Amino acid sequence: MTSLLNQYSRNSTVRWLFVILISINITACFSEKREDMSLTYIQSLPQHQVNNVWFQQAQSNLKDKMKNKVLTNSASSAKNVILFVGDGMGVSTVSAARILQGQLAGNNGEENLLSFERFPFSGFSKTYNVDQQTPDSAGTMTAMMTGVKTDAGLLSVDEQSNRGDCASAKNHRLTTVLELAELAGKATGIVTTARITHATPAASYAKSVERDWEDDSELSIDAKASGCVDIAQQLLAFKGGIDVALGGGRKHFLPEAQKGSRQDGKNLISQWQTLYPQGQYVDSKQQLLALDSKINGPLLGLFNDSHMDYSAEHSVDKVEEPSLSDMTRIALSRLKKNDEGFFLIVEAGRIDHGHHAGNAYNALHETIELSDAVALTLEQVDLTNTLVVVTADHSHVMTFAGYPKRGNPILGKVVAAGENTPTLADDGLPYTTLSYMNGRGMHSLGHEGDADRVNKLEINVGRKDISKIDTELPGYHQEALIPRHSETHGGEDVGIYAAGPGAQWLTGVNEQNMIFHVIAQSLLSKDESVVF
């Protein structure tokens, strides 16, 4: 990886040029041939998107950064972009996962670095939604995909839309960078360990006033009457087609008669296969890894009815699902075949779910899995023409405290420097380094790898005697203070880690929607000296 980062520091010789039709209506753009494109990416966006205050503010900030002589000494035009999103991967999560990875390798841990922490550029992202101080994933991913902040629960429609009201989204739909990449002739891909219809991946291809409308069974009566289209159907209807789509959520593509949840009787998997006769559909790790590498057609993989299993379940429960690294490797091998380049989104979706369950073990192991996927990626791409961005959509309320000694197990009880027994709090009880501000509270489920099992148990918040409990096991759920059916997101800034052309523009403290503008500028601008 060091050699790749050294290559990055040289000025890129790769300059990719493209033009597109003059059109405000994105649907009209897709109906024309790519060869006829004649203007820059910005002119394919709806006027309400370009005029949005969030969009304008980010463009202004990017222009200021491009005037910085230190930053402009680095290359900025990219052929490929890969965006890694650690869902819920706040700074405390990154720090704790870094230590855990080091300790699993037999070291103290604190000196360790995750793969993306070695990137030459880093900054922060302000994650708030237009209507919420502490955000949700729909609004945050919309910001990263469209350059516009919006309300919680909305997918790629602006804040003038009302959640759950289809009619309110008219003339407020936003164009995503995934759509722009497709227009530009790039190969496109989405990889996630969550349902592929879940908020974070869905924001890249769907326009919805309700993130929960993953299939028609979730639509309200009014929504159906208004002609709203569920998210799974929008995946199939994506103009130009997504070249690689891998994740969970199979039930949203199948009718109830086939063990799915759709009430309209449609089998969207069969429809996809009809739409793409040269494509390949897989639903197991064995099928994915056995794919013929010479075949270049579209690829759809749905490996679980709901979210994919935690990586801890792969080792504890011998689950046979592909890992995030498996899916990322296959996606890259497909997308790299496109001479025009590619745009790939990779989401480690289950970091978030581990935290919601108050289970640091799973959240940290999923973060390590993300780090592994990034490391694998760096071995397969050239950072002189590929921008790699790693960030989070939001944080969580996991705390990292207690004065443990150097090298103390990050999932263990606090043991102070010079001591060999756990430190006792003023109530006479030991406590762990990691804990949660709110959630379901302490549960000791031994070797259970599925953190979601806690949702079937009674809430158990407050201080508990954990003296005889092994807190390092997969099934240990940390203590929490405030009772909630699900632990909440956190509102603090999250990290941005970047390498490759344009990475320098993500330094400092950024509004989250700046990520779209940097990606679009690097991947799609014909002139790297101009910001639009």
Side-chain angles (χ1 to χ4, degrees):
M1 183 177 72
T2 301
S3 62
L4 286 172
L5 296 180
N6 288 337
Q7 291 176 21
Y8 165 73
S9 65
R10 307 187 189 115
N11 285 335
S12 173
T13 60
V14 178
R15 295 295 183 269
W16 176 76
L17 306 176
F18 82 95
V19 288
I20 62 174
L21 285 170
I22 302 174
S23 176
I24 293 175
N25 189 321
I26 190 66
T27 303
C29 288
F30 277 109
S31 66
E32 302 293 340
K33 294 182 178 180
R34 289 169 178 157
E35 297 84 19
D36 295 332
M37 294 177 182
S38 61
L39 291 177
T40 53
Y41 76 90
I42 203 80
Q43 290 171 285
S44 72
L45 302 176
Q47 201 61 42
H48 63 266
Q49 183 170 351
V50 176
N51 291 339
N52 185 284
V53 62
W54 298 105
F55 196 97
Q56 290 289 322
Q57 182 187 68
Q59 285 284 296
S60 176
N61 290 340
L62 181 56
K63 182 180 293 185
D64 289 341
K65 288 191 175 189
M66 292 177 69
K67 293 177 181 177
N68 186 312
K69 293 182 179 180
V70 174
L71 298 182
T72 53
N73 283 336
S74 300
S76 57
S77 180
K79 177 182 179 182
N80 317 302
V81 172
I82 306 168
L83 173 64
F84 287 91
V85 180
D87 198 319
M89 188 180 70
V91 172
S92 63
T93 300
V94 172
S95 299
R98 171 204 307 153
I99 293 172
L100 178 60
Q101 184 188 56
Q103 291 179 344
L104 291 172
N107 302 313
N108 281 334
E110 293 86 357
E111 73 289 345
N112 185 54
L113 288 173
L114 298 173
S115 61
F116 52 85
E117 291 185 287
R118 300 179 186 274
F119 283 5
F121 296 99
S122 60
F124 289 100
S125 171
K126 297 163 66 177
T127 64
Y128 63 93
N129 297 143
V130 172
D131 63 338
Q132 288 188 182
Q133 193 173 64
T134 299
D136 92 318
S137 295
T140 53
M141 192 61 174
T142 293
M144 289 188 274
M145 286 294 97
T146 70
V148 173
K149 288 207 175 201
T150 192
D151 289 350
L154 304 182
L155 295 173
S156 294
V157 295
D158 69 28
E159 71 270 29
Q160 300 303 316
S161 306
N162 299 319
R163 187 168 182 175
D165 180 2
C166 279
S168 69
K170 185 178 181 181
N171 298 324
H172 293 290
R173 294 177 176 85
L174 304 171
T175 299
T176 72
V177 69
L178 190 76
E179 292 173 296
L180 292 173
E182 186 68 33
L183 271 172
K186 305 283 186 180
T188 53
I190 302 172
V191 168
T192 180
T193 51
R195 295 190 297 268
I196 205 157
T197 51
H198 207 234
T200 302
S204 67
Y205 62 83
K207 329 286 183 186
S208 180
V209 292
E210 177 51 69
R211 58 173 287 176
D212 294 333
W213 289 350
E214 296 184 56
D215 65 50
D216 70 306
S217 68
E218 307 286 349
L219 293 174
S220 65
I221 295 175
D222 289 342
K224 291 179 179 179
S226 299
C228 292
V229 180
D230 64 79
I231 293 168
Q233 284 206 114
Q234 291 192 53
L235 178 65
L236 260 68
F238 185 82
K239 299 293 184 180
I242 299 171
D243 295 285
V244 178
L246 303 174
R250 187 169 51 230
K251 67 180 180 181
H252 296 303
F253 294 81
L254 295 173
E256 292 177 331
Q258 294 177 268
K259 298 182 179 180
S261 56
R262 299 195 66 83
Q263 295 178 348
D264 57 10
K266 294 179 180 179
N267 183 325
L268 298 187
I269 296 173
S270 294
Q271 289 187 13
W272 183 89
Q273 291 172 315
T274 300
L275 189 61
Y276 301 105
Q278 303 303 316
Q280 294 172 293
Y281 169 72
V282 294
D283 61 9
S284 70
K285 176 179 180 178
Q286 292 80 1
Q287 290 178 348
L288 180 68
L289 300 185
L291 288 173
D292 187 344
S293 60
K294 297 179 182 179
I295 298 178
N296 296 328
L299 173 60
L300 174 64
L302 300 173
F303 305 104
N304 197 302
D305 286 337
S306 186
H307 301 301
M308 293 180 67
D309 293 306
Y310 291 100
S311 59
E313 295 179 82
H314 296 178
S315 57
V316 175
D317 300 329
K318 308 302 180 185
V319 170
E320 288 298 324
E321 286 183 355
S323 66
L324 186 65
S325 293
D326 290 332
M327 295 189 290
T328 301
R329 182 176 63 255
I330 295 297
L332 284 171
S333 68
R334 291 288 182 110
L335 301 178
K336 286 168 61 178
K337 295 177 182 179
N338 187 337
D339 292 336
E340 297 300 320
F342 64 85
F343 176 52
L344 172 63
I345 300 166
V346 179
E347 184 207 15
R350 306 235 65 190
I351 300 171
D352 179 68
H353 302 153
H355 280 317
H356 279 308
N359 179 238
Y361 183 100
N362 268 298
L364 301 189
H365 277 270
E366 294 296 315
T367 304
I368 293 172
E369 177 61 27
L370 174 64
S371 175
D372 291 344
V374 173
L376 175 151
T377 297
L378 294 176
E379 296 174 355
Q380 296 196 27
V381 301
D382 180 357
L383 288 179
T384 64
N385 66 9
T386 303
L387 170 62
V388 181
V389 178
V390 181
T391 190
D393 48 355
H394 55 74
S395 183
H396 274 271
V397 295
M398 184 188 79
T399 63
F400 182 159
Y403 304 117
K405 62 183 178 181
R406 173 87 181 274
N408 196 63
I410 191 63
L411 292 169
K413 304 178 186 75
V414 171
V415 177
E419 301 294 331
N420 295 312
T421 57
T423 299
L424 301 182
D426 289 352
D427 59 6
L429 299 176
Y431 56 99
T432 53
T433 301
L434 304 178
S435 60
Y436 288 90
M437 178 63 181
N438 57 48
R440 302 189 71 87
M442 196 283 292
H443 292 276
S444 180
L445 305 182
H447 292 279
E448 175 58 63
D450 182 3
D452 300 341
R453 295 287 177 88
V454 76
N455 295 327
K456 299 178 180 180
L457 304 177
E458 294 294 326
I459 292 176
N460 187 37
V461 298
R463 293 285 285 135
K464 309 295 175 183
D465 187 355
I466 59 173
S467 301
K468 298 180 180 180
I469 294 176
D470 186 347
T471 62
E472 298 177 54
L473 292 178
Y476 181 74
H477 295 246
Q478 281 72 18
E479 291 175 293
L481 175 63
I482 299 172
R484 276 189 55 87
H485 67 283
S486 176
E487 178 265 5
T488 70
H489 295 169
E492 72 271 19
D493 297 353
V494 297
I496 308 174
Y497 313 84
Q504 67 275 13
W505 295 331
L506 289 169
T507 56
V509 179
N510 303 276
E511 293 289 355
Q512 193 164 44
N513 54 304
M514 174 65 83
I515 293 171
F516 163 91
H517 295 268
V518 170
I519 290 175
Q521 183 72 23
S522 299
L523 187 65
L524 305 172
S525 174
K526 68 175 182 177
D527 184 349
E528 65 179 35
S529 67
V530 177
V531 62
F532 301 95

